[in-house]
């Protein structure tokens, strides 16, 4: 097996121009980013006020097809505020996949609510709507218009689907569940900028959605995130509480509730304005990389490339392989790839296995546990980038 994966490492490096080390996902910049950021510095408007913040929010809303976007400091902050303005309260429970990045669970915890972990499908690695409904029928009851967890007595307030590695989850089925059980849909679209479900951009299906622009995302603002919504009042409120809930005044500092210092700095938004101009190129190059990986792995027995579902279009943010455990051991593969200069990572540890979340409510997570043993992310930077700039 070692020799086979050494050869795979060699082939991956060839895709990237035979670099000595191929990282998992690098940001890609050009002169446009330098121009916009330099303009921001020269004007002196580098913090939370400036023209680039407003412009970036406008471009994001247009790109994703929602009415409003509110830029914030990171994707976790975006999800935190999205859940807050969606009405999640202390001691509520919130359905989410057990197979997700910890930020999804942390954002719920910031509101003193509890994650309620549910299983995923192998097709999307996102919430399995069939198993979710079976779980609800087992543990839930409607009381005074709320879904109540009979085992804990707590209100289950919302569902947070996450579009894993950019692959859209089956949103229509989850919307139907929300309607039947009076749940709020809050999309964790942190990984899925540029992904579409049945022709509509992810992040715009629920009451609110959240994006991330971390340095390893398909486009970046360095750090950063955004709240998406079609509700103008919610957008105004999100913007208000992410800027410390300061009452507008020419000079006085008055605040009428606890707010958050979550506003995206202007200098980060300047970077975002340049990056979003290249989104179509990034998406094209991601698909070109996918095609190369399909050619590579179709020749390897016991390895499947994770491909977008039939109902969606993925941004292919992180390229992902799924191993047949009878033929390949995940940790052995990770060891060979990384030792030979090809960065690879396992999928996240299931949330219920992490110390802060071991006692949270959960359903059957058999698919989550199985995928955890089999999934590996491999280098995913757009393939035209064999250097540090984007032509």
């Amino acid at each position: 097996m070692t020799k086979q994966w050494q050869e795979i490492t060699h082939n991956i490096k060839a895709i990237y121009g035979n670099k000595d080390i191929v990282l998992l996902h690098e940001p890609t910049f050009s002169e446009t980013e330098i121009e916009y950021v330099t303009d921001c510095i020269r004007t002196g408007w580098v913090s939370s006020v400036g023209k680039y913040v407003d412009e970036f929010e406008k471009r994001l809303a247009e790109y994703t097809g929602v009415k409003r976007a509110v830029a914030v400091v990171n994707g976790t902050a975006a999800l935190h505020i999205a859940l807050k303005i969606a009405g999640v309260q202390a001691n509520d429970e919130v359905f989410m996949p057990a197979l997700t990045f910890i930020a999804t669970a942390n954002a719920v915890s910031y509101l003193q609510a509890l994650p309620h972990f549910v299983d995923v499908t192998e097709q999307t690695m996102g919430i399995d709507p069939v198993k979710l409904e079976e779980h609800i029928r087992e543990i839930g009851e409607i009381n005074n218009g709320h879904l109540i967890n009979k085992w804990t007595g707590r209100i289950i307030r919302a569902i947070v689907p996450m579009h894993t590695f950019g692959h859209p989850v089956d949103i229509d089925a989850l919307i139907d569940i929300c309607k039947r059980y009076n749940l709020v849909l809050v999309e964790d679209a942190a990984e899925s900028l540029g992904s579409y479900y049945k022709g509509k951009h992810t992040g715009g299906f629920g009451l609110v959605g959240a994006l991330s622009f971390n340095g390893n995302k398909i486009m970046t603002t360095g750090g950063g995130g955004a709240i998406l919504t079609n509700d103008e009042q919610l957008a105004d409120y999100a913007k208000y509480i992410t800027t410390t809930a300061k009452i507008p005044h020419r000079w006085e500092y008055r605040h009428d509730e606890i707010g958050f210092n979550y506003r995206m700095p202007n200098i980060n938004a300047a970077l975002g304005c340049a990056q979003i101009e290249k989104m179509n190129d990034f998406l094209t190059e991601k698909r070109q990389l996918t095609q190369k990986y399909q050619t590579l792995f179709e020749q390897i027995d016991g390895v499947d490339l994770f491909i977008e579902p039939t109902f969606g279009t993925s941004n292919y943010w992180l390229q992902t392989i799924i191993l047949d455990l009878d033929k390949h051991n995940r940790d052995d593969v990770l060891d060979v790839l990384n030792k030979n200069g090809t960065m690879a990572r396992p999928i996240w540890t299931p949330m219920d296995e992490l110390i802060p979340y071991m006692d949270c409510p959960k359903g059957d997570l058999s698919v989550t546990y199985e995928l955890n043993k089999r999934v590996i992310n491999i280098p995913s930077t757009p393939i035209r980038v064999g250097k540090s700039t984007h032509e």
Side-chain angles (χ1 to χ4, degrees):
M1 188 195 82
T2 298
K3 184 176 181 181
Q4 181 184 44
W5 283 97
Q6 286 175 335
E7 181 65 23
I8 291 171
T9 298
H10 174 78
N11 290 333
I12 292 174
K13 284 185 172 182
I15 291 173
Y16 283 95
N18 296 311
K19 296 170 68 174
D20 291 335
I21 297 177
V22 183
L23 299 178
L24 192 65
H25 198 293
E26 298 179 74
T28 57
F29 302 128
S30 70
E31 291 299 319
T32 309
E33 283 83 355
I34 296 171
E35 176 188 345
Y36 289 4
V37 171
T38 300
D39 176 62
C40 186
I41 292 170
R42 283 175 175 162
T43 64
W45 295 101
V46 297
S47 193
S48 58
V49 177
K51 68 178 183 179
Y52 286 106
V53 174
D54 293 339
E55 181 63 23
F56 185 51
E57 290 178 339
K58 177 185 175 183
R59 293 187 186 189
L60 269 178
E62 291 174 348
Y63 184 84
T64 58
V66 298
K67 290 183 179 178
R68 295 283 296 279
V70 179
V72 292
V73 293
N74 55 54
T76 309
L79 190 55
H80 174 202
I81 298 303
L83 288 160
K84 177 178 174 61
I85 65 178
V88 174
Q89 302 173 31
N91 208 42
D92 284 347
E93 294 180 13
V94 176
F95 287 131
M96 69 177 61
L99 200 65
T100 185
F101 181 56
I102 195 170
T104 314
N106 284 348
V108 170
S109 299
Y110 296 162
L111 296 167
Q112 299 180 22
L114 285 89
H116 187 138
F117 301 119
V118 295
D119 211 359
V120 300
T121 70
E122 190 165 328
Q123 179 191 24
T124 68
M125 296 192 201
I127 290 177
D128 183 335
V130 175
K131 287 186 74 171
L132 173 59
E133 181 137 35
E134 291 173 352
H135 181 58
I136 290 173
R137 288 173 179 168
E138 179 184 0
I139 61 98
E141 63 181 4
I142 299 295
N143 192 336
N144 293 324
H146 297 297
L147 178 62
I148 306 296
N149 184 339
K150 293 185 294 186
W151 296 353
T152 66
R154 290 186 288 259
I155 294 173
I156 305 176
R157 187 79 62 179
I159 298 176
V160 183
M162 196 273 288
H163 304 287
T164 309
F165 307 137
H167 297 267
V169 72
D170 186 0
I171 282 286
D172 279 348
L174 295 177
I175 290 173
D176 289 342
I177 290 173
C178 287
K179 290 176 180 177
R180 283 197 294 276
Y181 296 101
N182 195 25
L183 296 165
V184 181
L185 184 68
V186 178
E187 277 182 85
D188 183 348
E191 302 175 357
S192 63
L193 182 66
S195 297
Y196 295 82
Y197 175 82
K198 297 182 179 179
K200 180 178 177 180
H201 197 284
T202 56
F205 289 88
L207 182 64
V208 279
L211 296 172
S212 172
F213 310 115
N214 189 35
N216 66 351
K217 293 299 190 292
I218 189 165
M219 61 150 278
T220 185
T221 59
I227 300 155
L228 304 179
T229 184
N230 289 305
D231 188 313
E232 295 280 2
Q233 288 186 323
L234 282 182
D236 288 342
Y237 183 51
K239 199 162 188 175
Y240 182 60
I241 61 172
T242 56
T243 51
T244 70
K246 182 180 180 296
I247 300 171
H249 192 277
R250 289 172 60 197
W251 56 77
E252 288 187 348
Y253 290 89
R254 293 187 180 274
H255 309 259
D256 60 358
E257 65 175 286
I258 296 173
F260 304 87
N261 191 11
Y262 280 177
R263 196 80 167 108
M264 177 183 282
N266 197 47
I267 195 168
N268 296 87
L271 187 59
C273 285
Q275 286 270 287
I276 202 168
E277 292 175 5
K278 301 181 177 69
M279 272 298 298
N280 289 338
D281 288 341
F282 290 156
L283 292 170
T284 297
E285 293 160 12
K286 287 283 192 179
R287 299 191 83 81
Q288 291 172 350
L289 178 59
T290 300
Q291 290 168 5
K292 288 185 177 293
Y293 278 141
Q294 283 180 303
T295 300
L296 172 61
F297 287 109
E298 68 185 6
Q299 306 171 46
I300 311 298
D301 188 31
V303 181
D304 291 320
L305 190 67
F306 186 34
I307 300 298
E308 64 196 3
T310 55
F311 50 68
T313 303
S314 177
N315 65 6
Y316 283 103
W317 168 53
L318 281 188
Q319 297 288 336
T320 305
I321 54 175
I322 305 174
L323 306 176
D324 181 338
L325 296 181
D326 290 332
K327 298 180 174 67
H328 305 276
N329 177 275
R330 186 199 72 171
D331 289 348
D332 289 344
V333 171
L334 286 166
D335 184 60
V336 174
L337 290 173
N338 284 286
K339 276 185 177 178
N340 287 275
T342 301
M343 185 179 287
R345 293 291 183 267
I347 201 167
W348 315 281
T349 300
M351 292 296 101
D352 69 304
E353 295 182 0
L354 300 177
I355 291 173
Y357 298 115
M358 285 181 173
D359 296 328
C360 288
K362 61 184 179 181
D364 171 73
L365 303 177
S366 53
V367 176
T368 294
Y369 298 149
E370 183 67 19
L371 286 172
N372 178 245
K373 303 172 188 175
R374 301 171 57 204
V375 173
I376 291 177
N377 295 127
I378 56 177
S380 305
T381 307
I383 58 172
R384 283 207 306 176
V385 185
K387 43 192 173 181
S388 61
T389 59
H390 190 277
E391 299 299 329

